[in-house]
Amino acid sequence: MEPTHAIEHVLGPQAVHAVSYLWLIPALPLVGAAWNAILGWKLQQVLGKKIVHRVAVTAMALSFAVAVYAFVQLLGLPAHERFLQDTLWNLLTAGRLTVDLAFALDPLSMMMVLIITGIGTLIHVFSIGYMADEPAYWRFFSYLNLFVFAMLLLVMGDNFAVMFFGWEGVGLASYLLIAFWYTDPEKAKAGMKAFVVNRFGDFGFIAGLFLLFWALGGAWSPREGGGLRSTDYRPAAELNALVGATSAADAAALAPVVEGVKVGPTMNFRELRDQVVVEATGVKEHLATTTVWGVSLAMLVGILLFVGAMGKSAQLPLYVWLPDAMAGPTPVSALIHAATMVTAGVYMVARLNFLFALSASAMGWVALVGALTAIFSASIGFFQYDIKKVLAYSTVSQLGFMFIGVGVGAYWAGSYHLLTHAFFKACLFLGSGSVILGCHHEQDMRKMGGLAKHMPITRWTYLAACVAIAGFPLMNGFYSKDEILFKAFTSRHLGLFGTPTPWLGPAIYFVGIAAAIGTSFYMFRSYYMTFTGEYRGGSGHHDEHNVDPHSALAARASAHSHDVHADDGAAHAFGLAGNAPSHGAHELDEPPHASAPHAHGAAAPAHAAHAPHDDHGASHGQHGGTPHESPWTMTSVLVVLAAGSFLTLFLGIPTLWTHAAPLLEHWLEPAIPAEVAFEQAPHALEWAFQGIGVLAAAIGLLAARALYKDGRSEVPARLKARFEGIWTVVYNKYYVDEIYDALVVRPSTAFARLASRFDGGVIDGAVNFAGAIGRFLGRFDAWIDSTFVDGAVNLVASLTSAAGGGLRRLQTGRVQTYLYGALGGALAVVLLNFLIS
Amino acid sequence: MNAKRFLVWLLAASLFVGALVYVAARVIEPAALANPPRASGSLSLPDVLFFALATLAVAGAAAVALARNILHSALGLLLALLGAGGLYVYLSADFVAVAQLLIYVGGVLILVLFAIMLTSRITEVTISNTSFGLAGGVALFIAVAPVLLAVGLVAPWTTHAPGPLVPSTAAIGNGLLTRWLLPFEVASLVLLATLVGAVVIARKEIKAD
Amino acid sequence: MISLPHFLVVGALLFTFGLVTVATRRNAVGVLMGVELILNGANVNFLAFDRYVGDGLTGQVFSLFVIVLAAAEAAVGLAIVLAIFQTFRTIDVRAADLMRE
């Protein structure tokens, strides 16, 4: 099981093939999203819902077709040249750094793209049936396409900038979709929680990115004496000069090149990979040996980037949003929170395998967190009653497994588990969606049971997926999980905080086995509770929106067309973007709920029409609270996924059995240049571990079967009564949400209030004070003006008046006075004349 | 008002005037050297008459200025006009002297007296008090008189010996119709306007009554 | 012996008294009498200069005109005084102060 095989991957610069069609893959879903966003509402009104989903599914299908085409092209290339790049244009150039809008497909991202577009298309098809009743149909499909677009940007981006754009975009789409029925405050809160918790992770991601960029020489000037700005690493004199380039070509020309590899700060994955992998550039050694404040740089970068993965992929401290995200529609849970978005963190770690491999501490940290998450959330899943919650915690746990895989250095194994998980978890979620729909929006497993005879297809596909997740060799889950755990056991490369901890690998193995037992247990528990025994559901929980409009359409039961739903939509007062009040009656995810206020007023005919499916024919005769199978659009997807779960096992047949590298490992090899040391284990140990894995699955199955099959056993109830305290703690998710609320949320809001008071008191006070000063000065000026200025003016006026009054008396009106005046004046003139001259 | 007081007043005025003339003569004595002085001795009759006429005129003027009774002022005016007329004779202006007597005394003075009669109450004869009091009048007198006197006495007038006293009537007549025809005609027009104007003004009042 | 200055003195005094009369008399007719005095003083001056400086004729003609105009002016002036008397019922010059202030 050595990473190196017969295929030599040349440790040199990556060979690139330039193509020009890769942009179609994300662009098609974007077009679909924009189309539905802008025109969807109107078109839905006019032409019915089918136009909406036709556009959305077509976009997805076309994108998948292009992806398959790219895949075929990649297959045709030699292994070490499997790298397609499509550069659209230059986004920015700053100094030696260029960031392009460019897409790249190497084996790893090709796998991701196929998963996203393929399983994405299937989920779109599923949504046709599942969301048929939803008035805001167009908005749902628009958001789904938007999500796929963002996710494709994330995996296909050939540099951190595009990837981060997609990273944030999936966060946004996740928020929009979780809070799809936003008029329900609980669902809106769940959406916000997802976004905010993700934000915590993104902060770490960005911090790691900055650190990496800096370490590559981004803000660097040489100084003797070491310290933060150490000059031990001096690849070329040109790097030390501060240069400025204004165009991509100039920037490229300025960069120093070593053995064909452009050296220097970069955001491009391929360039980064080349710099690290080609040891002659010295970057690898620099990153591995530089320390930042005494801490290894590589470890710090790895841990910070992993913080981003913790947020996005719901690992231990930042997983709390994922169970709440079940408030969104089930297809959303399947697509986003099972198959694709949450795997973005795993993808990121796998993509940057060469960076993580530089630091044993980072790897150890990743693997440890993954293992702890796996066991922690598996334990919570034991006692949940909401079927979607069980699956949510299961997802968190399986993500933990994936991180164990990529943490110990088995990158292909972690990616393989990503692939298999996408299939069986999507199948499980969609199956649960089918169950929920069939039980008329009931999500509490205690009210299910005996659905095996009502919903056979769902039952068999669900069972197949349970077998997969538990880890029986019949389905693909075993192969990926086994590989991960074995590699964990044999890893010796791990460390923690700078100290090597060779015992960590085996410890993680045992934790993983325990988690696998738990996984098997709670998954089969959910299967038995849901499908076996007698149906425990009530008279059927109706949705408020089942009322009248449907009863009028019962007569048109044979019509599969969506015209039915168009009219139904029209009757729903379409103007609103989401007929949320009616959907607000959807079961919330808290199992011990006082029964939510469902409108049971609708009579049976209304209930008959409730089934918001295209297929009115087969299941239409059922009235009352009887569960029914879902329409073909939904069951066909389940079958495809289950089949996929089976077929993909052939990608990972262990070397032990075939003495050749598993197909997927071989495929992913060019993308994983990191070399990690594993201990060579004897074959017997490998066989033993495989057996232990099967045994773990079997233990879980048998325990669940014993306790929950047919719902007849008293043991669960007695155990619960006996260990009431422990049960309560685990059932309440270890009160993690409450702890976060007290530790983080309340202080934040208190700080916000404090800041608000500061703003209102101090800042506004300062502003008001300035205003008061202005007012005071104004009054002072006014006083001065009225006293002095006006006084002066008035004084002049009064002087003038007084003078006038005095001089007025000259005007006596008598001629003689004037005569005197004239004479006096004349005399004065004469005298003056006489005196002066 | 009694005659005695009048006579006293007249005497004072003449003394005053004589004093002035004497002083003036003294002042211009150097100037008078240009004219050969007459033999010293007493004044001839024409000189005495001159002084009498001058005194009369000045006294009358003083009476006009200072009399409280308007009638006394009118009387003083008469004397002043007479004295001036007499002086004109000395200046070989016999026609002018006669014209003065005829017009001024016989016409204007009569007119003034008529006006006084018509406008003042005869019984109230104390109306004509000076308005500014004696102080204003004295001040004015002191301001103006010395100036004029100084000008008249000090300035070196280039005089020539006066010719014989000849009758001037024919010359004036000739002149009025040749050299000064235009002013003559204009004066006649003025008189016409005056005539009409006075009648109009006086007539209006009567109408207003 | 009697020469120009003597006559000038007389003329000056007549003029001055006439001026004082015009300035100080309260009776309007008295004012007019003062005006006559002034004119007479001027006449004396004219004639004196005519005899001792001039050609013996121009001054006399001028004096005649003065007399004519004095008469005309006295006539009109007294007519006005009569008119004022009709309006104000008095010929006190202080009464005609409607132009006051």
Side-chain angles (χ1 to χ4, degrees):
Chain A
M1 313 259 197
E2 294 296 338
T4 55
H5 293 278
I7 307 295
E8 288 290 325
H9 54 158
V10 179
L11 287 180
Q14 176 73 51
V16 175
H17 287 267
V19 294
S20 59
Y21 61 84
L22 291 184
W23 62 274
L24 280 172
I25 302 179
L28 285 163
L30 179 64
V31 166
W35 173 283
N36 272 327
I38 297 170
L39 301 172
W41 175 63
K42 202 62 192 167
L43 285 177
Q44 189 177 338
Q45 260 187 324
V46 170
L47 297 172
K49 285 181 178 155
K50 58 177 184 285
I51 189 75
V52 171
H53 72 245
R54 277 182 189 168
V55 168
V57 174
T58 308
M60 288 300 299
L62 284 178
S63 181
F64 180 66
V66 177
V68 168
Y69 179 82
F71 179 61
V72 168
Q73 183 173 6
L74 271 183
L75 279 176
L77 292 170
H80 56 273
E81 289 183 25
R82 285 184 182 147
F83 194 96
L84 300 178
Q85 178 156 10
D86 181 9
T87 305
L88 293 181
W89 61 77
N90 176 248
L91 283 178
L92 66 92
T93 303
R96 289 188 295 269
L97 173 73
T98 60
V99 172
D100 297 329
L101 180 62
F103 300 112
L105 279 181
D106 69 349
L108 178 63
S109 51
M110 187 76 249
M111 180 187 90
M112 294 294 299
V113 167
L114 285 174
I115 293 175
I116 296 166
T117 51
I119 296 188
T121 309
L122 290 171
I123 294 179
H124 275 69
V125 172
F126 184 88
S127 305
I128 298 174
Y130 191 82
M131 301 297 288
D133 252 357
E134 175 62 46
Y137 200 68
W138 59 277
R139 188 161 62 94
F140 183 77
F141 277 98
S142 170
Y143 287 162
L144 267 189
N145 273 0
L146 179 71
F147 167 79
V148 172
F149 162 71
M151 189 71 204
L152 285 170
L153 275 189
L154 198 159
V155 299
M156 284 177 68
D158 95 323
N159 52 59
F160 273 109
V162 177
M163 176 187 170
F164 198 70
F165 188 89
W167 189 275
E168 296 290 327
V170 294
L172 169 71
S174 166
Y175 161 76
L176 289 172
L177 283 164
I178 293 172
F180 184 69
W181 292 303
Y182 55 83
T183 52
D184 181 346
E186 288 300 321
K187 297 185 167 49
K189 273 198 267 183
M192 281 193 278
K193 182 173 179 178
F195 198 83
V196 171
V197 173
N198 258 296
R199 258 285 167 247
F200 278 86
D202 294 345
F203 171 72
F205 186 78
I206 291 185
L209 192 55
F210 288 165
L211 198 58
L212 177 65
F213 190 82
W214 169 81
L216 289 172
W220 206 27
S221 63
R223 257 212 316 244
E224 298 298 334
L228 264 186
R229 304 226 180 138
S230 166
T231 59
D232 291 339
Y233 166 61
R234 218 189 272 266
E238 297 86 40
L239 259 190
N240 296 337
L242 292 176
V243 295
T246 50
S247 74
D250 292 342
L254 283 169
V257 171
V258 174
E259 283 197 17
V261 174
K262 175 172 160 255
V263 180
T266 177
M267 308 224 345
N268 189 304
F269 291 128
R270 184 183 51 80
E271 285 178 13
L272 185 61
R273 171 208 174 272
D274 288 342
Q275 284 184 52
V276 172
V277 161
V278 176
E279 298 201 16
T281 60
V283 173
K284 180 171 178 178
E285 188 188 335
H286 169 67
L287 288 177
T289 55
T290 308
T291 62
V292 177
W293 293 312
V295 175
S296 160
L297 176 74
M299 178 180 94
L300 204 53
V301 167
I303 289 179
L304 284 173
L305 289 173
F306 181 62
V307 169
M310 270 200 272
K312 190 67 71 184
S313 300
Q315 292 305 289
L316 199 58
L318 298 175
Y319 71 93
V320 290
W321 63 272
L322 190 51
D324 284 19
M326 296 301 116
T330 309
V332 168
S333 307
L335 180 61
I336 298 183
H337 308 125
T340 44
M341 181 179 112
V342 292
T343 57
V346 181
Y347 165 76
M348 188 263 291
V349 176
R351 163 71 69 209
L352 298 174
N353 55 77
F354 46 87
L355 278 182
F356 282 91
L358 293 174
S359 163
S361 303
M363 293 174 66
W365 179 252
V366 169
L368 181 65
V369 169
L372 289 175
T373 306
I375 188 69
F376 182 79
S377 58
S379 67
I380 299 182
F382 276 23
F383 299 128
Q384 295 297 318
Y385 289 124
D386 184 343
I387 190 170
K388 284 181 74 171
K389 281 288 172 66
V390 173
L391 293 176
Y393 286 108
S394 160
T395 304
V396 175
S397 179
Q398 296 304 307
L399 287 168
F401 271 101
M402 288 183 226
F403 278 109
I404 293 177
V406 295
V408 300
Y411 298 103
W412 84 268
S415 309
Y416 184 40
H417 197 59
L418 194 160
L419 173 69
T420 61
H421 176 266
F423 276 96
F424 59 67
K425 191 47 67 67
C427 186
L428 284 169
F429 263 111
L430 296 183
S432 75
S434 170
V435 163
I436 289 169
L437 208 58
C439 292
H440 313 296
H441 297 279
E442 178 60 67
Q443 287 181 246
D444 189 336
M445 290 194 290
R446 293 172 293 190
K447 298 203 176 61
M448 302 179 194
L451 294 180
K453 56 182 181 292
H454 298 292
M455 310 171 68
I457 305 179
T458 308
R459 177 240 182 143
W460 284 113
T461 52
Y462 195 90
L463 181 61
C466 280
V467 167
I469 194 173
F472 289 104
L474 293 171
M475 307 287 280
N476 59 4
F478 162 76
Y479 298 92
S480 56
K481 197 179 296 189
D482 173 71
E483 185 69 30
I484 288 174
L485 289 176
F486 184 70
K487 280 286 189 293
F489 189 82
T490 60
S491 78
R492 294 290 178 265
H493 180 61
L494 300 174
L496 279 180
F497 305 119
T499 8
T501 50
W503 49 266
L504 191 59
I508 289 177
Y509 172 78
F510 285 112
V511 171
I513 285 291
I517 297 176
T519 300
S520 172
F521 172 75
Y522 65 68
M523 285 315 302
F524 279 107
R525 167 179 175 267
S526 75
Y527 169 73
Y528 283 121
M529 278 182 82
T530 305
F531 289 99
T532 64
E534 289 304 316
Y535 183 58
R536 294 181 290 277
S539 56
H541 294 264
H542 300 276
D543 241 25
E544 286 166 7
H545 78 276
N546 291 332
V547 194
D548 301 328
H550 289 273
S551 59
L553 309 168
R556 299 165 65 176
S558 59
H560 284 250
S561 71
H562 286 271
D563 295 336
V564 165
H565 296 287
D567 293 339
D568 122 59
H572 271 290
F574 238 4
L576 293 179
N579 196 1
S582 64
H583 283 280
H586 273 202
E587 285 276 349
L588 300 183
D589 49 17
E590 299 302 323
H593 59 272
S595 61
H598 290 287
H600 289 261
H607 165 62
H610 149 71
H613 313 303
D614 297 348
D615 189 2
H616 287 270
S619 52
H620 200 64
Q622 296 165 352
H623 299 266
T626 318
H628 51 80
E629 185 60 274
S630 303
W632 68 271
T633 49
M634 293 166 67
T635 53
S636 58
V637 169
L638 291 174
V639 169
V640 170
L641 286 172
S645 296
F646 173 71
L647 291 172
T648 50
L649 72 85
F650 291 106
L651 290 175
I653 305 284
T655 311
L656 190 62
W657 296 7
T658 61
H659 302 285
L663 287 175
L664 193 67
E665 183 181 2
H666 180 67
W667 168 254
L668 286 177
E669 195 159 5
I672 304 180
E675 303 196 13
V676 180
F678 290 100
E679 196 184 85
Q680 272 284 38
H683 289 259
L685 199 59
E686 290 185 54
W687 285 107
F689 280 157
Q690 288 183 352
I692 292 173
V694 175
L695 188 64
I699 291 174
L701 165 63
L702 291 171
R705 186 166 191 275
L707 287 176
Y708 292 103
K709 182 168 172 28
D710 297 335
R712 278 198 288 265
S713 171
E714 293 294 319
V715 176
R718 275 189 299 178
L719 282 176
K720 172 180 166 195
R722 179 116 179 263
F723 298 103
E724 184 90 32
I726 300 178
W727 185 90
T728 310
V729 169
V730 175
Y731 182 70
N732 285 314
K733 307 161 283 177
Y734 299 100
Y735 297 108
V736 171
D737 280 323
E738 287 77 5
I739 294 173
Y740 277 170
D741 183 59
L743 280 183
V744 177
V745 175
R746 282 178 204 281
S748 298
T749 48
F751 179 70
R753 272 197 294 275
L754 181 69
S756 163
R757 272 208 297 272
F758 178 76
D759 176 58
V762 175
I763 295 177
D764 284 357
V767 173
N768 289 347
F769 179 67
I773 289 181
R775 275 203 306 280
F776 168 74
L777 284 177
R779 275 198 294 271
F780 184 66
D781 277 341
W783 175 78
I784 287 181
D785 179 59
S786 65
T787 307
F788 295 108
V789 177
D790 286 355
V793 172
N794 289 347
L795 185 67
V796 169
S798 54
L799 277 179
T800 307
S801 165
L807 291 172
R808 193 179 304 134
R809 278 182 288 216
L810 282 178
Q811 298 261 2
T812 58
R814 299 178 195 152
V815 177
Q816 286 157 339
T817 313
Y818 301 149
L819 183 66
Y820 268 123
L823 287 172
L827 193 63
V829 167
V830 166
L831 276 175
L832 276 174
N833 221 1
F834 178 68
L835 285 173
I836 290 173
S837 63
Chain B
M1 163 70 190
N2 49 12
K4 180 171 165 238
R5 195 169 157 166
F6 175 72
L7 284 170
V8 167
W9 198 90
L10 190 63
L11 185 64
S14 56
L15 279 175
F16 176 62
V17 169
L20 276 177
V21 172
Y22 182 73
V23 166
R26 276 287 163 265
V27 167
I28 62 149
E29 190 166 352
L33 285 173
N35 294 328
R38 211 182 265 259
S40 63
S42 62
L43 303 166
S44 58
L45 182 63
D47 298 338
V48 172
L49 274 178
F50 168 80
F51 280 112
L53 285 170
T55 305
L56 189 68
V58 175
V64 171
L66 302 172
R68 278 180 304 164
N69 192 336
I70 192 68
L71 283 174
H72 293 172
S73 290
L75 201 56
L77 185 63
L78 170 66
L79 291 179
L81 293 171
L82 280 174
L87 287 177
Y88 293 165
V89 174
Y90 265 86
L91 295 170
S92 176
D94 55 336
F95 181 74
V96 179
V98 175
Q100 163 115 343
L101 282 176
L102 283 175
I103 298 169
Y104 257 125
V105 179
V108 173
L109 192 61
I110 302 301
L111 192 59
V112 167
L113 283 171
F114 270 120
I116 292 172
M117 299 303 174
L118 284 175
T119 60
S120 13
R121 303 212 160 71
I122 299 295
T123 55
E124 294 175 32
V125 293
T126 58
I127 300 179
S128 59
N129 287 335
T130 58
S131 57
F132 281 114
L134 210 53
V138 170
L140 190 61
F141 187 86
I142 292 174
V144 174
V147 174
L148 292 174
L149 288 173
V151 167
L153 293 171
V154 173
W157 306 107
T158 50
T159 61
H160 59 77
L165 298 170
V166 294
S168 58
T169 309
I172 288 174
N174 275 332
L176 278 179
L177 290 174
T178 57
R179 189 172 167 197
W180 292 286
L181 178 61
L182 182 61
F184 180 62
E185 297 299 333
V186 171
S188 63
L189 276 174
V190 168
L191 284 174
L192 175 65
T194 302
L195 183 68
V196 174
V199 170
V200 165
I201 292 173
R203 192 163 63 100
K204 266 187 185 163
E205 326 162 19
I206 295 173
K207 253 197 184 166
D209 281 342
Chain C
M1 205 178 65
I2 301 297
S3 63
L4 180 61
H6 301 86
F7 289 99
L8 292 186
V9 168
V10 174
L13 285 170
L14 280 176
F15 175 85
T16 309
F17 278 116
L19 192 61
V20 170
T21 307
V22 168
T24 62
R25 273 291 176 195
R26 226 167 60 166
N27 196 324
V29 181
V31 171
L32 280 169
M33 288 196 278
V35 175
E36 300 303 325
L37 272 182
I38 289 172
L39 289 166
N40 267 287
N43 256 1
V44 167
N45 249 23
F46 271 124
L47 290 169
F49 274 107
D50 176 63
R51 173 138 174 91
Y52 285 98
V53 178
D55 59 358
L57 182 63
T58 308
Q60 294 187 27
V61 173
F62 213 96
S63 306
L64 275 177
F65 281 116
V66 171
I67 290 172
V68 166
L69 288 172
E73 167 258 330
V76 174
L78 288 166
I80 290 174
V81 168
L82 282 176
I84 287 177
F85 181 73
Q86 296 297 326
T87 307
F88 294 101
R89 304 311 306 179
T90 174
I91 51 171
D92 187 341
V93 294
R94 286 182 304 181
D97 61 352
L98 291 180
M99 293 287 279
R100 179 191 169 94
E101 293 190 16

